[in-house]
Amino acid sequence: MFKLAALFFWFNIYCGYGVFATMNPFPSHPSNDSSKPKPVYTTTRLVGEKPKLDGVLNDACWNTGEWAGEFKQWIPAEGKQPSQSTFFKILYDDENLYVAVRAVDHEPKKIQRKAGRRDEFAGDVIGICFDSYHDHRTGFEFDVTAAGQKYDAILTNPMVGDANWNAVWYAKTAMEDSAWTTEMRIPLSQLRYSSEKNQVWGLHFWRWINRLQEESDWEQQSFTGPGMLYLFGELKGISNLPKSQRIELLVSGLSKMKTFQKDPNNIFASKGHVSSSTVGLDAKIGLSSNFTVDLSINPDFGQVEADPSVMNLTAFEPLFEEKRPFFLEGKNIFSFDIDDLSLFYSRRIGHAPSYMPGLGPNEYLKMPDNTTILSAAKLSGKTQKGLSVVVLQSLTANERASISTPSGGKKVTVEPLTNYFVGRMQQDYRNGNTVLGGIFTSTNRFFSDPHLNFINHNAFTGGLDLLHQWKDKEFFVDAKVTASNINGSTEAISDLQLSSARYFQRPDAYRFDSTLTQLSGIGGKIKIGKGSKGLWRYSTDLTFRSPTLELNDIGYMQTADLIKQGNAVSYFVNTPVAVFRTYTIGLKQNNNWDFKGHYLSSDYTLTTYLEFLNRWNVTSALNHISQSLDIRQLRGGEALLIPPSWMESILVKSDFAKKVAFNFQGSYFFENKRGKYFLVSPGITVQPINTLKLSLNLNYTSNMDQLQYTDAFFSSGKRAPVLARIDQHDLGATFRIDYNITNNLSLQYYGSPFASVGKFNSFKKVVQPKNSIYSNRFQALSTSVLQSDNYLVDDNGDGVTDIIIHNPDFNFYQFRSNFVFRYEYRPGSQLYFVWSNDRTNFINPGSNSVTDIHSQLSKVFPTNIFLVKLNYWFDL
């Protein structure tokens, strides 16, 4: 089971969202005991004709076998009887599983048959999930809405779903007088299981009634349990399956045209458009019933939806969501995260080229948008002894940019030929109570061009992880350790040392060494706590990252040089009480140091979650950070003493089962003497008919920061950072239209205008960054003289300009939109038509208002991408 409502509930429980109820804040509820006998369903082999897949349960085969029911409620009243009854039956043969479901509803006119696109929960839903490895760690889930739309996912504990796994299977729904029914045919080739003669699988069956936001399950699920898959029932009766021989091919054809403003002087833009076509092949080969190889040759990894607009004024790279199908499928298996760092960030593969050539007079550049992925391969599976293995290898091209000069053309390498490798293994012990794993990654670049010496040649990272649980998984120890080794030229390693992750040039930092040709570091985390049974959760943890740890060649890491100790406690309820369906409260506290032992800060967060009987909910977080020593604010300067701060965030959502639903998000940040920040973001979703959904979200932010970094200069042989007050205003909106004509035919539109305006004043240089008196840390600079967009500053009062500061005021305007037509003309085979539109305008210095977005964007010539893609799926 993986659905929005339950996922949101589970997330809040584990993160500690909630609040004390005014009446009986800590009611007593029985704890789940996962050692209790679990329900067993015994299937039978199909005899006679296969069912006609039309959703109507009148086939002769449904008169054989066992019907099962006796569901129990999970949400909102755990363990209670459901409001409606549900019955299911499972049959099988050598090729398929056949599932029939009758979802009884004594108010059939209230059944919500909302249309949605593939992998979207809309309206009433039923679902089945198979733990076919029977390792209590991986579930293959197949869900169907009352309108007949399919949803499939890979489920892992405690309740994490990878909805980007798309299997090829079949389902139809129908209506009876007082029920809705469904039939499914699930090919065994889409599952992974052992070669045992007599199979025993984990089984989960669930139903969601949307108008009541109620879930009931065949096996008793509990929020007091260690994770969903541990509580699955058992499926027995499958035996004597033939040896699996799976070969699936997906042939893709792609044609793309890009339009832009003509430039008769630029040979690369003289026509105002470019076009291309390509053919690719994806293959899935079953080596056995539990091991699979995925291959991709010349794949198209184009994204259907653009990344959100952002004006990034920090020194750190923003993290974007992965949207490419090859990397989405099975991404949870590769996961090795330690707080906000990851050893594998798949968007490194195929990223934009690293080198940007400089241009002379009358020279023009044709630059590839992304690095071409020549090939990619994955091997994944699990042995009968509990060893999970997944390996990914990908090769990206040697990318070259074309430069047109008055004397002719030339090619310049902007990204070298690169090989990426990721290997992940995990071994189960003691029926999954202990899991020991490891990961290894390598990034190897092949080049000899001197202008690419700033790029690392080779990067190797590795890690070990251990999860040990005891007392029926009530308590746990979760430990991870990682290490990295990077080698390259002295220029490349110097750049790493000077980067925002380290700033070794700081006078109070780790030692900078310009002669190094390699960098090695370590990191890790150990967490001990209580994770299940009862309504309380608590834990303590210790995290460390050495100053020389580096993961960004194939992973993601913003900062190194950190030691952090944290504690967390939370309490929740799993049945309605007073006016609440549920509520939760959590408190987290952290202390931070650098590797030299300097105390940096402490922070405290109180998080609350309230869900009312009318199914509205409120989420709140109150955060306090003590006076802190910021070792990165001055971007290579000394650590700066920062005043304490408070931040409050709130999120309100109405009942999303209604035709009109609202949400509101707000945040307010206040830092004594430094500044303030606030955000307001209202939204509305309207579904006037079952096939059409409209949504609009607005957001406005205002940021006044007295300590915005702008530049640095040298005064008396010492580096002097310059800060300023920034008044920044962001205004944006996101509008979506989803029109699902049928379950296999849909139209989607996404439009997002965005504007960001920043004005700078009150420039000051940092003179005593750690002075206990705030005003003594800075010296004001006079910026009364402005010439040619530069402030001329006389720092010492001798009448001579000592500092030149370029006016940093800016206007940033952007509009991005996507239109997608999708038609699944046969199972596994799709036709796409995509139109992407982009208008971007950046002005520096800028003097416009944030509300001038329409007039500014109307002056920008749009860039359009038109794409047609055809996939055809073969099952050999």
Side-chain angles (χ1 to χ4, degrees), residues 16 102 333 386 450 602 734 757 763 770 819 856:
R102 176 172 283 111
I333 305 174
S602 295
T734 300
V757 171
F763 291 85
K770 299 177 185 175
F819 172 83
Q856 292 300 310

Side-chain angles (χ1 to χ4, degrees), residues 7-18 570 584 608-609 619:
L7 174 62
F8 187 65
F9 188 28
W10 185 272
F11 173 81
N12 284 305
I13 288 169
Y14 271 79
C15 292
Y17 287 133
S570 65
T584 332
T608 61
Y609 174 75
T619 304

Side-chain angles (χ1 to χ4, degrees), residues 135 150 159 171 187 274 314 318 345 357 390 436 500 508 530 547 565 618 663 665 683 704 728 735 766 777 780 796:
D135 60 357
K150 294 185 291 185
M159 186 181 151
V274 294
T314 73
Y345 177 38
V390 59
L436 177 64
S500 58
D508 53 353
K530 177 181 182 294
Q565 187 275 325
V618 179
N663 64 82
Q665 182 178 1
M704 191 281 286
Q728 181 183 358
F735 178 60
V766 181
R777 299 170 200 167
N796 54 19

Side-chain angles (χ1 to χ4, degrees), residues 460-471:
F460 304 96
T461 65
L464 296 173
D465 58 332
L466 170 68
L467 173 63
H468 178 64
Q469 303 168 97
W470 68 93
K471 202 174 179 181

Side-chain angles (χ1 to χ4, degrees), residues 352-358 365 367 401 412-415 451-452 454-455:
S354 304
Y355 178 70
M356 176 63 72
L365 175 67
M367 186 81 171
V412 178
T413 300
V414 292
E415 186 71 27
H451 65 272
L452 297 180
F454 70 95
I455 302 176

Side-chain angles (χ1 to χ4, degrees), residues 14 20 118 126 225 228 268 285 298 361 450 459 485 488 541 544 559 691 695 705 707 715 744 865:
Y14 271 79
F20 288 101
R118 175 71 180 263
I126 63 93
M228 287 194 62
F268 304 121
I285 304 172
N298 194 26
N485 178 266
D541 60 76
F544 65 94
T559 60
T691 57
S695 64
D705 186 356
L707 304 181
S715 176
N744 301 317
I865 295 177

Side-chain angles (χ1 to χ4, degrees), residues 800-842:
V800 179
T801 298
D802 301 301
I803 307 170
I804 299 177
I805 303 174
H806 179 72
N807 183 0
D809 292 354
F810 65 85
N811 294 158
F812 177 72
Y813 303 98
Q814 187 170 67
F815 176 75
R816 287 178 168 177
S817 68
N818 294 86
F819 172 83
V820 180
F821 167 87
R822 175 187 175 273
Y823 175 41
E824 186 173 2
Y825 58 93
R826 67 187 300 268
S829 304
Q830 292 120 4
L831 170 66
Y832 287 96
F833 172 77
V834 181
W835 169 37
S836 297
N837 176 270
D838 185 288
R839 295 172 184 255
T840 301
N841 190 21
F842 179 76

Side-chain angles (χ1 to χ4, degrees), residues 4 7 243 363 442 449 501 582 601 628 807 811 817 872:
L4 292 178
L7 174 62
K243 184 178 180 181
E363 292 187 344
S442 69
D449 308 82
T582 182
S601 66
S628 58
N807 183 0
N811 294 158
S817 68
Y872 193 88

